[in-house]
Amino acid sequence: WYNSVLKGVIGIKVALCDDNSSELLNTANIVERYLNERQHTYSLFTFLNGDDLLSHIKKYGDFDIIILDILMPGFNGIEIAEEIREKNLSCKIIFLTNSPEYAVNSYKVDALYYLLKPFDENEMYMILDKAVAQIVDKSKSFLVKASGKILRLYNTSILYIESVKHN
């Protein structure tokens, strides 16, 4: 089992969260294959519960793409997404679940997609293509490390840049 897979520099930050370890590993393999085939630099993190995902975000910063199961013990995926949305409006949230009953609620957190398990790998690729295109479109951006976190700054959000003690 792995907690993270790093290729090259940070690039696209992806989180997967599912309480079922075999489904989590299967999804991670598909997402990793997609990112490698499309030749993206990326970091991929897996979480077995929403608390660990939220703790990681608080400590290390946001993700570009989050793939969330909905039916999990403790907080469900919708509740986790609501908490994420309080601080991050730009990450792409994809729900991956066995239950269609929360689809309408997914609109409240501006989910990119609601995918039912078992899913077709080609459908996941199509959804990831859409998510990456939206990130890349906005990512006239760069990554900076500040206070121990890696943050993505979009050119449109920068007012000025100052360099201090830099030779």
Side-chain angles (χ1 to χ4, degrees):
W1 188 251
Y2 60 88
N3 289 329
S4 67
V5 174
L6 300 174
K7 289 279 187 180
V9 295
I10 295 290
I12 300 170
K13 292 176 62 179
V14 182
L16 309 175
C17 184
D18 194 322
D19 62 314
N20 182 315
S21 60
S22 63
E23 288 183 4
L24 181 61
L25 185 57
N26 179 55
T27 304
N29 288 333
I30 290 168
V31 171
E32 185 174 18
R33 191 166 40 253
Y34 165 85
L35 292 165
N36 285 325
E37 286 176 12
R38 300 294 199 268
Q39 299 182 337
H40 294 296
T41 56
Y42 64 90
S43 58
L44 175 63
F45 295 85
T46 59
F47 302 93
L48 286 166
N49 62 68
D51 286 335
D52 289 348
L53 170 61
L54 294 172
S55 293
H56 183 93
I57 290 170
K58 186 174 183 177
K59 186 171 183 179
Y60 299 107
D62 293 320
F63 288 96
D64 298 306
I65 300 171
I66 299 174
I67 301 174
L68 269 175
D69 185 18
I70 289 186
L71 301 175
M72 295 186 285
F75 294 113
N76 69 39
I78 298 288
E79 294 166 328
I80 295 163
E82 288 172 345
E83 190 159 335
I84 290 166
R85 279 289 181 243
E86 287 177 11
K87 295 178 181 77
N88 183 341
L89 297 176
S90 65
C91 81
K92 305 304 167 202
I93 296 174
I94 300 165
F95 286 113
L96 185 59
T97 186
N98 291 314
S99 174
E101 71 184 83
Y102 293 92
V104 172
N105 291 339
S106 72
Y107 287 105
K108 294 177 185 176
V109 294
D110 195 27
L112 178 69
Y113 208 87
Y114 192 94
L115 185 59
L116 291 174
K117 298 177 190 176
F119 61 90
D120 176 69
E121 187 169 326
N122 292 325
E123 189 173 14
M124 177 62 83
Y125 273 43
M126 177 205 67
I127 295 163
L128 290 170
D129 278 339
K130 184 176 181 179
V132 169
Q134 290 179 15
I135 291 165
V136 170
D137 184 44
K138 283 187 164 184
S139 75
K140 308 274 192 263
S141 67
F142 56 96
L143 299 172
V144 296
K145 188 171 184 176
S147 302
K149 296 180 182 181
I150 296 177
L151 307 170
R152 180 178 303 278
L153 296 179
Y154 297 101
N155 293 352
T156 56
S157 68
I158 298 171
L159 299 176
Y160 71 93
I161 296 176
E162 180 179 340
S163 177
V164 177
K165 295 184 183 179
H166 184 68
N167 298 337

